């Protein structure tokens, strides 16, 4: 099978669509280390070929996809995950009922043994919780996996990437599915989150709290959280400190009568300007 991935000289594991054509791709074969040429011609599917013209090294698309997904999560230092009451509690967020939340991580390690499993990634969240992340392409949510994490009482997320076959692989779409979308994400433990929506939580268990909707606006790979408050005002903040993003947030906030809340490191925009501020952030994101 043709090789769709290679190792860039920066040590980044890249898809053929992310590099320049030919030897200018500056990549090596991820298996044997030989320099490769990015073939991006009209006739054949784009791929990497050894510069010596030797036959492609044997590689597995499934493990390459895993490796790519790990790169994306490590570079982003987090991802958006679905939340149920159980997941929220296991993640240390208490009884919040957002349908999804950005899980920002302080540390992400690859291939660490936890109990009898070796998840693709083991992430430490900013709330201090260890979360296992498994990427799935051909086998999903087995009872064995769920049970292993239940015994460890460790939240474990599975990301379903089966839609992204070699020919359907699109860097932007795959990255979106991994980082921002929650449709393909399932908690192996606490279980069955996908069956649970906030509306189905029983009234007794549900804390008396408003439903806070969070939108993540991505500007050049960096995240801005836009959260609707019960009053209809919105709170915006850069998810992680980054001078450029902080400055975008400040500019947009000031343009829409925002006020800074020191304690939360966020800006609150009054509800009558909320939609305009949201649209401006989205416009900046799509122009970036
Ligand atoms: Zn090779």
């Amino acid at each position: 099978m043709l090789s769709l991935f290679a190792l860039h000289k920066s040590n980044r594991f890249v898809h053929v669509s992310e590099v320049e054509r030919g030897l200018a791709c500056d990549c090596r074969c991820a298996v044997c280390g030989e320099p490769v040429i990015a073939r991006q011609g009209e006739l054949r599917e784009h791929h990497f070929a050894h510069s010596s013209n030797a036959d492609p090294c044997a590689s597995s698309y499934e493990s390459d996809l895993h490796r790519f997904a790990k790169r994306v999560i490590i570079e982003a230092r987090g991802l958006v995950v679905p939340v149920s009451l159980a997941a929220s509690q296991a993640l240390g967020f208490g009884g919040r009922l957002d349908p999804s939340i950005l899980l920002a991580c302080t540390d992400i390690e690859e291939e660490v043994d936890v109990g009898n499993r070796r998840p693709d990634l083991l992430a430490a969240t900013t709330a201090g919780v260890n979360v296992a992340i498994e990427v799935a392409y051909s086998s999903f949510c087995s009872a064995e996996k769920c049970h292993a994490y239940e015994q460890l009482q460790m939240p474990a997320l599975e990301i379903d990437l089966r839609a992204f076959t070699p020919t359907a692989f699109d860097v932007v779409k795959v990255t979106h599915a991994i980082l921002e979308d929650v449709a393909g994400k399932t908690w192996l433990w606490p279980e069955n989150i996908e069956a649970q929506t906030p509306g189905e939580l029983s009234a007794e268990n549900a804390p008396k709290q408003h439903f806070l909707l969070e939108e993540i606006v991505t500007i050049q790979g960096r995240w801005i959280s836009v959260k609707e408050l019960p009053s209809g005002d919105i709170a915006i903040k850069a998810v992680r400190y980054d001078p450029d993003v902080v400055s975008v947030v400040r500019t947009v906030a000031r343009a829409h009568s925002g006020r800074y809340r020191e304690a939360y490191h966020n800006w609150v925009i009054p509800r009558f300007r909320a939609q305009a501020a949201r649209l401006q952030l989205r416009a900046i994101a799509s122009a970036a």
Side-chain angles (χ1 to χ4, degrees), residues 4-5 24 26 35 41 45 50 72 78 93 101 108 113 119 131 144-145 163-164 167 177 214 219 246 285 287:
L4 304 181
F5 297 88
D26 254 333
E45 187 190 336
H50 290 121
V72 166
F93 296 121
I101 191 170
I108 306 180
D113 286 319
V131 177
E144 186 207 337
K145 280 194 214 174
F164 300 105
T167 46
E214 184 173 28
I219 296 182
V246 165

Side-chain angles (χ1 to χ4, degrees), residues 83-85 88 94-100 198 201 206-207 209-212:
V83 222
S84 66
L85 189 56
S88 177
R96 57 191 291 167
L97 290 177
D98 308 39
S100 65
L201 292 166
Q209 187 183 339
H210 284 271
F211 200 167
L212 302 183

